[in-house]
């Protein structure tokens, strides 16, 4: 079978207009997939040059396939039907290794056609390295590389106003655009670059904060050979992702025209304020995961898919979202419910086997950041503690007993909570404390919760009631009683 390449599989070639820092699975099945659709259906006409941001020893490169790869989008569509849709991505032109091809890397700055920069260098990628220098070829950190590239462009085009870039980092940190811009300016200052360069950065370059959302599982090792038979070629960069995606960009309205967003419908939102969309994702997608895990696992299930195919667990998750999380969020109700519909469909994706214990990692912190704000907001709105969210908190505390059906299972959290729960559940088992005292000890941890939750009237009683019900009757019976 032939290896994928442009000689045996010829097609459109697009001029270099985009730099992409990062060669990983996510960007390829997210950014490159969307750019490829825009290239096909509009006159965007934008080729992508991938820059490998790390100095890895591997010789593996997209260049071995002339930039070509297949994005395999599979899961449930909006009708609930199982789909598997391969797309041959032709929009990536080549990959550059910044350490081995530094001159080619710098040459990107001197290309007047390039206007867009995307990146995903992981959450740790947007960071300052004090020992990076202008003279390095290249500097180590991603922000320093970007600064070096921008300075090369500034010098080559003599600070021309129309040669600035639109920079869209996709790293999963809050206000990623502002964070990246601040580091570029910090390097400019540390390297004692001309003040005119900093002014050019401010006035003629646009750093956009973004929110990205798509589960990308990467190379489908188990069924790759079967997929190759269906495709008619081998693809070492085959990249699988789910059907759902969302790209939210906090940026100027003229980006609509630059990206041709008005000419082909993609789930890209250009907004003035990204915060409500961040809150939506954290509360609905991440919050549903966090509420689901202890309840479903203690009910005897092991994966998200199994949980969503269980009528009792699925009903708990859906009612938690609809009745107690969504009313606390600040976006139009129809939009929030549509997002919830998509989340529930994503959880049922038959191609993704998401282990509940993997999601349970650092569950105490996840509850604080993902669910506690909605629990508190719901109580303020309704004047009473939300039954499903308090039940989820109780289930989390029972989960940290580390036992299901009399058998132990591994817990993954910081040592403080592992030690704390080990002691508390042992004391409860010996009759030295009551369930209420266990709950009080956990909720009084001000260092974790950032306040003493035992001071909120009625919360300890509500959590204790659910915890006692789960311990005494088991998760299934407790859910039935919860209703």
């Amino acid at each position: 079978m032939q290896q994928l390449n442009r000689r045996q599989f010829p097609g459109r070639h697009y001029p270099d207009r985009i730099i992409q820092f990062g060669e990983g699975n996510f960007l390829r099945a997210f950014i490159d997939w969307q750019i490829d659709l825009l290239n096909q259906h509009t006159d965007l006409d934008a080729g992508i040059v991938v820059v490998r941001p790390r100095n890895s020893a591997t010789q593996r490169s997209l260049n071995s396939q002339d930039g070509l790869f297949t994005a395999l989008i599979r899961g449930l569509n909006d009708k609930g039907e199982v789909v598997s849709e391969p797309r041959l991505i032709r929009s990536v032109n080549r990959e550059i290794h910044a350490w081995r091809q530094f001159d080619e890397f710098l040459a990107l700055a001197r290309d007047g056609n390039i206007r867009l920069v995307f990146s995903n260098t992981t959450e740790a990628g947007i960071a300052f390295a004090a020992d990076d220098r202008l003279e390095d070829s290249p500097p180590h950190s991603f922000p320093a590389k970007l600064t070096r590239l921008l300075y090369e462009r500034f010098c080559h085009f003599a600070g021309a106003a129309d040669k600035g870039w639109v920079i869209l980092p996709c790293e999963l940190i809050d206000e990623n655009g502002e964070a990246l811009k601040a580091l570029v300016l910090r390097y400019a200052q540390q390297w004692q670059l001309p003040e005119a360069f900093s002014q050019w950065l401010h006035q003629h370059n646009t750093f956009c904060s973004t929110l990205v959302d798509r589960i990308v599982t990467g190379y489908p090792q188990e069924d790759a050979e079967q997929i190759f038979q269906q495709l008619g070629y081998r693809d070492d960069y085959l990249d699988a992702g789910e059907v759902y995606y969302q790209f939210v960009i906090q940026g100027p309205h003229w980006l609509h025209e630059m990206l041709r967003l008005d000419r082909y419908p993609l789930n890209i939102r250009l907004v003035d304020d990204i915060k409500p969309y961040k809150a939506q994702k954290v509360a609905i997608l991440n919050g549903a995961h966090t509420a689901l895990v202890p309840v479903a696992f203690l009910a005897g299930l092991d994966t998200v898919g199994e949980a969503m195919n269980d009528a009792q667990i699925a009903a708990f998750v859906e009612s938690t979202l609809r009745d107690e999380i969504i009313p606390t969020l600040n976006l139009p109700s129809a939009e929030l419910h549509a997002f919830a519909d998509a989340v529930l469909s994503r959880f049922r994706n038959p191609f993704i086997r998401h282990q509940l214990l993997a999601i349970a990692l650092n569950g105490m912190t996840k509850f604080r950041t993902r669910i506690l704000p909605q629990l508190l907001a719901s109580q303020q709105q309704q004047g009473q503690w939300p039954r499903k969210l308090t039940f989820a908190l109780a289930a989390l505390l029972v989960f940290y007993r580390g036992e299901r059906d009399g058998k132990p299972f591994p817990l993954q959290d910081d040592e403080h909570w592992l030690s704390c729960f080990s002691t508390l559940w042992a004391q409860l088992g010996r009759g030295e404390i009551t369930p209420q005292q266990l709950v009080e000890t956990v909720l009084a941890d001000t260092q974790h919760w950032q306040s003493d939750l035992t001071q909120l009237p009625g919360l300890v009683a509500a959590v204790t009631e659910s915890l006692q019900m789960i311990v005494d009757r088991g998760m299934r019976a407790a859910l039935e009683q919860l209703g």
Side-chain angles (χ1 to χ4, degrees), residues 351-387:
F351 296 101
I352 298 177
R353 187 172 171 81
H354 211 165
Q355 296 290 330
L356 295 172
L357 285 182
I359 306 171
L361 174 68
N362 297 327
M364 292 297 291
T365 296
K366 287 176 178 175
F367 193 96
R368 185 192 73 219
T369 58
R370 299 174 174 186
I371 296 182
L372 182 62
Q374 277 58 56
L375 188 149
L376 299 176
S378 180
Q379 194 278 336
Q380 291 178 343
Q381 288 178 353
Q382 305 300 325
Q384 59 185 11
W385 292 106
R387 297 177 67 240

Side-chain angles (χ1 to χ4, degrees), residues 3-8 52 59-69 93-95 234-237:
Q3 187 77 27
L4 182 60
N5 61 71
R6 291 187 186 268
R7 294 178 300 282
Q8 273 76 36
R52 186 177 289 263
Q59 299 295 320
R60 193 169 181 266
S61 165
L62 281 164
N63 294 332
S64 65
Q65 296 185 170
D66 302 320
L68 298 180
F69 70 92
N93 291 338
R94 65 191 187 283
E95 180 182 329
R234 298 189 64 84
D235 182 353
D236 292 339
Y237 287 86

Side-chain angles (χ1 to χ4, degrees), residues 21-307:
F21 282 90
E23 77 289 352
N25 294 327
F26 178 78
L27 283 182
R28 292 192 293 111
F30 186 74
I31 294 297
D32 300 350
W33 178 83
Q34 292 179 80
I35 294 297
D36 204 68
L37 284 167
L38 290 169
N39 277 335
Q40 178 186 351
H41 295 284
T42 76
D43 62 344
L44 182 68
D45 197 31
I48 300 165
V49 180
V50 171
V51 174
R52 186 177 289 263
R54 293 169 298 280
N55 190 16
S56 57
T58 180
Q59 299 295 320
R60 193 169 181 266
S61 165
L62 281 164
N63 294 332
S64 65
Q65 296 185 170
D66 302 320
L68 298 180
F69 70 92
T70 308
L72 181 62
I73 306 305
R74 53 187 188 173
L76 301 179
N77 64 15
D78 54 8
K79 298 177 182 178
E81 301 165 337
V82 176
V83 296
S84 181
E85 301 173 343
R87 179 179 183 83
L88 179 53
I89 305 300
R90 295 187 173 279
S91 296
V92 174
N93 291 338
R94 65 191 187 283
E95 180 182 329
I96 290 177
H97 193 296
W99 271 265
R100 300 173 193 160
Q101 301 167 282
F102 183 65
D103 290 342
E104 289 183 47
F105 170 71
L106 275 189
L108 296 174
R110 300 189 291 271
D111 186 339
N113 291 322
I114 291 179
R115 296 300 308 278
L116 292 163
V117 177
F118 293 96
S119 69
N120 187 13
T121 57
T122 78
E123 293 91 316
I126 298 184
F128 187 79
D131 55 349
D132 273 333
R133 301 176 306 158
L134 179 67
E135 297 79 17
D136 293 340
S137 55
H140 178 76
S141 74
F142 159 56
K145 289 186 189 69
L146 179 61
T147 306
R148 180 66 183 89
L149 212 56
L150 284 163
Y151 186 60
E152 181 76 13
R153 190 171 183 83
F154 169 80
C155 293
H156 182 76
F157 291 108
D162 63 344
K163 290 299 184 288
W165 281 341
V166 177
I167 299 162
L168 301 104
C170 298
E171 288 81 359
L172 294 177
I173 64 171
D174 290 339
E175 299 180 341
N176 46 19
E178 288 85 346
L180 181 56
K181 181 178 181 178
L183 291 178
V184 170
L185 288 168
R186 185 176 175 185
Y187 278 114
Q189 182 178 24
Q190 172 161 308
W191 294 345
Q192 299 181 341
L193 302 181
E195 177 61 27
F197 172 62
S198 295
Q199 293 176 359
W200 180 76
L201 286 174
H202 278 298
Q203 296 172 6
H204 304 302
N205 292 267
T206 304
F207 289 77
C208 299
S209 286
T210 70
L211 178 66
V212 298
D213 191 2
R214 171 173 259 173
I215 297 172
V216 176
T217 53
Y219 188 81
Q221 188 71 46
E222 293 182 359
D223 51 353
E225 292 299 326
Q226 180 183 350
I227 294 169
F228 294 159
Q229 292 297 326
Q230 296 168 351
L231 295 174
Y233 54 79
R234 298 189 64 84
D235 182 353
D236 292 339
Y237 287 86
L238 179 63
D239 195 9
E242 67 173 334
V243 173
Y244 179 84
Y245 70 99
Q246 185 180 50
F247 191 18
V248 184
I249 302 170
Q250 181 176 294
H253 293 288
W254 48 259
L255 277 179
H256 268 291
E257 172 58 27
M258 173 182 265
L259 295 173
R260 307 299 194 264
L261 300 183
D262 55 340
R263 303 182 196 181
Y264 184 71
L266 291 175
N267 196 18
I268 301 177
R269 296 174 178 271
L270 193 60
V271 301
D272 296 324
D273 184 5
I274 208 168
K275 293 184 182 65
Y277 295 91
K278 172 76 171 179
Q280 171 186 257
K281 180 186 177 185
V282 170
I284 296 180
L285 173 62
N286 304 128
H289 258 160
T290 301
L292 163 72
V293 166
V295 175
F297 187 81
L298 294 177
L301 305 172
D302 293 316
T303 70
V304 173
E306 291 172 359

Side-chain angles (χ1 to χ4, degrees), residues 298 387 390-399 401 424-425 427-429 431 433-440 459-479 481-482:
L298 294 177
R387 297 177 67 240
T390 51
F391 185 89
L393 177 54
L396 183 64
L397 271 54
V398 178
F399 178 86
R401 182 170 53 172
L424 289 173
W425 281 107
Q427 290 175 330
L428 183 64
I433 61 173
T434 66
Q436 179 174 324
Q437 288 173 315
L438 184 151
V439 172
E440 286 174 340
L459 180 58
V460 168
V463 175
T464 302
E465 179 184 1
S466 291
L467 181 142
Q468 189 76 66
M469 188 164 53
I470 295 168
V471 171
D472 291 347
R473 305 187 61 191
M475 182 57 72
R476 293 288 185 183
L479 279 171
Q481 185 171 334
L482 180 67

